[in-house]
Amino acid sequence: EVVLTQSPGTLSLSPGERATLSCRASQSVTGRYLAWIQQRAGQSPRLLIYDASTRATGIPDRFSGSGSGTDFTLTISRLEPEDFAVYYCQQYDSFPLTFGGGTKVEIK
Amino acid sequence: EVQLVQSGAEVKKPGESLRISCKGSGYTFTNNWITWVRQMPGKGLEWMGRIDPSDSSTNYSPSFQGHVTFSADKSVSTVYLQWSSLKDSDTAMYYCVRGRGWVDYWGQGTLVTVSS
């Protein structure tokens, strides 16, 4: 099973700042089959990024994904109030599919 | 508009059985797998497995294999998640999500509470 380790566990930032979230896989994720998912408090999750760097429909361009192999990054260029949430990475390269433990982006 | 609408919250006792549902609309239901995701209270997301509504093919995570059952009724565009004997540790929010790999549209979640 591919273990996804997300860091940091919590990121304390102010609106307008840049957020950089990391997702490291225990083995190579081929085909860049990695997604990023946002979950706001009390809401269902929603897809942000798939195939490591493709934004899902309706996702603002301040969200970007990068990386390959075992190291992936989600960057939020300028934090908006609605971006304070928990972010998960998910790999869909190998079975069973797995999620990372999440990074909480909180208001500083 | 693509929607996945899940059945309402449930409160059950250990050992009881349960089936929850997820109804798709706004797209061709048999064209996309449905994935089930568990979120225990205050915890992260866990991939349970997936079902192809077109032929009811299933894949289960080893962590859930044998404890849950997925099924589908394409005539009503609905998939189901079923337990034959609930445990306290099944208390969680359960989401159905459209997709086989990356998943795009999420249901609103069904909260299952198991308590004696």
Side-chain angles (χ1 to χ4, degrees), chain B residues 22-98:
Chain B
C22 168
K23 182 176 176 62
S25 63
Y27 70 103
T28 302
F29 189 67
T30 52
N31 282 358
N32 296 88
W33 289 62
I34 296 290
T35 290
W36 286 98
V37 175
R38 183 174 81 174
Q39 187 167 38
M40 299 177 77
K43 301 298 184 182
L45 305 174
E46 298 176 88
W47 190 85
M48 300 176 68
R50 60 196 176 194
I51 183 166
D52 180 351
S54 68
D55 64 1
S56 294
S57 296
T58 55
N59 301 131
Y60 294 94
S61 167
S63 299
F64 293 90
Q65 178 89 48
H67 185 55
V68 298
T69 302
F70 307 146
S71 59
D73 183 343
K74 57 187 178 183
S75 70
V76 290
S77 301
T78 300
V79 298
Y80 303 96
L81 167 58
Q82 181 174 325
W83 295 260
S84 58
S85 180
L86 286 159
K87 304 176 183 178
D88 289 349
S89 57
D90 292 318
T91 294
M93 182 74 83
Y94 292 88
Y95 294 100
C96 64
V97 205
R98 192 181 75 159

Side-chain angles (χ1 to χ4, degrees), chain A residues 31-54:
Chain A
R32 304 178 78 223
Y33 292 147
L34 187 116
W36 289 94
I37 293 157
Q38 177 195 64
Q39 187 175 29
R40 295 171 177 151
Q43 296 188 16
S44 294
R46 70 163 177 163
L47 177 68
L48 297 177
I49 301 281
Y50 63 93
D51 291 349
S53 60
T54 303

Side-chain angles (χ1 to χ4, degrees), chain A:
Chain A
E1 173 175 316
V2 176
V3 176
L4 298 176
T5 301
Q6 293 189 240
S7 61
T10 301
L11 197 52
S12 298
L13 294 167
S14 300
E17 289 194 294
R18 181 185 188 90
T20 303
L21 288 66
S22 172
C23 176
R24 179 161 291 178
S26 61
Q27 61 195 70
S28 184
V29 176
T30 59
R32 304 178 78 223
Y33 292 147
L34 187 116
W36 289 94
I37 293 157
Q38 177 195 64
Q39 187 175 29
R40 295 171 177 151
Q43 296 188 16
S44 294
R46 70 163 177 163
L47 177 68
L48 297 177
I49 301 281
Y50 63 93
D51 291 349
S53 60
T54 303
R55 275 189 299 278
T57 303
I59 301 303
D61 62 6
R62 64 179 181 274
F63 291 93
S64 63
S66 63
S68 62
T70 60
D71 289 297
F72 297 86
T73 300
L74 174 70
T75 302
I76 311 171
S77 59
R78 294 172 311 280
L79 283 163
E80 298 287 340
E82 62 268 27
D83 299 337
F84 292 92
V86 180
Y87 293 83
Y88 297 94
C89 55
Q90 180 216 351
Q91 67 81 22
Y92 46 96
D93 174 49
S94 64
F95 188 86
L97 282 63
T98 50
F99 291 94
T103 290
K104 181 179 182 180
V105 179
E106 65 175 22
I107 299 176
K108 185 175 181 179

